[in-house]
Amino acid sequence: SSELTQDPAVSVALGQTVRITCQGDSLRSNYASWYQQKPGQATILVIYGKNNRPSGIPDRFSGSRSRNSASLTITGAQAEDEADYYCNSRDSSGNLFVFGTGTRVTVL
Amino acid sequence: EVQLVESGGGLVQPGGSLKLSCAASGFTFSGFSMHWVRQASGKGLEWVGRIRSIPDNYATAYAASVKGRFAISRDDSKNTAFLQMNSLKTEDTAVYYCIRGSGGWFDPWGQGILVTVSS
């Protein structure tokens, strides 16, 4: 399968930790990248590769991979982290790409 | 500063064609693959396709939903990528993003351009 599945929505209390998961067969052999979308703002890359953050991304964002799943963890969530998050990876062929279904994170 | 600016969007009738352009600046355009991603209103992101750079013979690849109807090209002399969209369907209505590809991830993203397919 080339699908990547995410939970539709999660909530987290301010300052607490939230983990967003992405599941799919292609993740057994490919790392996921993670993207943050906020209304009216450009989408930004937050995690890529094994666990890399682009310049300017706070270190409270981290990524991991295990078997057929990938996770984005926000440790000490802030109000500004409220957004939609999408995972992405190559598909099982390695030639195409696929996005996850997206997770809306609400910071309480 | 890396910038990608899409243009060419608009309203087109079902079955029609449209060509999007993506003007790049702030990086060595010829050294990167370029991808197109779209997002229908209120929906998730969908990868559309990509074109690799000249060392990979400008190889293209497309999502199943657009294969045979869409074509990606590039003009490295003008730092521009293109998305030719033919046989458009109402379900192709979306904001289209041109994005630089690097090692399997996409960065940066622009504001995108709206394509509306409607009669």
Side-chain angles (χ1 to χ4, degrees):
Chain A
S1 170
S2 298
E3 295 179 343
L4 294 178
T5 303
Q6 300 178 236
D7 290 332
V10 297
S11 60
V12 57
L14 184 68
Q16 296 303 301
T17 297
V18 62
R19 174 173 290 183
I20 305 161
T21 60
C22 172
Q23 288 196 305
D25 288 342
S26 63
L27 295 173
R28 294 182 183 277
S29 54
N30 296 286
Y31 287 112
S33 53
W34 291 89
Y35 302 87
Q36 179 191 70
Q37 262 198 342
K38 296 180 184 180
Q41 298 185 24
T43 300
I44 62 171
L45 172 69
V46 294
I47 291 290
Y48 66 95
K50 189 175 183 180
N51 180 20
N52 300 297
R53 287 175 287 105
S55 174
I57 301 302
D59 60 6
R60 62 179 179 270
F61 289 90
S62 63
S64 63
R65 185 184 79 173
S66 177
R67 298 175 182 170
N68 69 331
S69 71
S71 297
L72 173 69
T73 300
I74 308 174
T75 304
Q78 301 300 302
E80 60 264 33
D81 300 333
E82 190 163 283
D84 292 333
Y85 291 85
Y86 293 89
C87 61
N88 178 275
S89 85
R90 298 179 187 274
D91 75 345
S92 298
S93 76
N95 196 37
L96 308 181
F97 288 83
V98 60
F99 280 96
T101 49
T103 299
R104 177 154 295 178
V105 173
T106 300
V107 180
L108 303 174
Chain B
E1 179 190 7
V2 175
Q3 281 197 319
L4 297 164
V5 179
E6 303 91 345
S7 62
L11 175 65
V12 61
Q13 292 188 337
S17 297
L18 203 62
K19 187 173 185 177
L20 304 183
S21 299
C22 169
S25 61
F27 66 102
T28 305
F29 179 77
S30 60
F32 288 85
S33 62
M34 297 301 297
H35 297 250
W36 289 90
V37 171
R38 68 184 181 184
Q39 186 171 33
S41 180
K43 303 296 185 181
L45 297 169
E46 180 184 15
W47 180 81
V48 172
R50 63 96 171 117
I51 184 167
R52 287 180 168 162
S53 56
I54 191 170
D56 292 306
N57 296 316
Y58 297 133
T60 55
Y62 303 93
S65 59
V66 306
K67 192 173 184 179
R69 299 188 299 122
F70 288 14
I72 299 173
S73 60
R74 62 192 294 164
D75 184 342
D76 289 349
S77 68
K78 296 182 179 179
N79 290 346
T80 303
F82 304 96
L83 177 63
Q84 175 68 49
M85 302 183 291
N86 300 326
S87 302
L88 282 161
K89 307 174 182 179
T90 56
E91 52 263 42
D92 295 319
T93 295
V95 174
Y96 284 74
Y97 300 94
C98 161
I99 314 163
R100 182 182 67 173
S102 177
W105 52 89
F106 312 127
D107 180 63
W109 296 57
Q111 293 299 325
I113 191 81
L114 178 62
V115 172
T116 302
V117 184
S118 175
S119 55

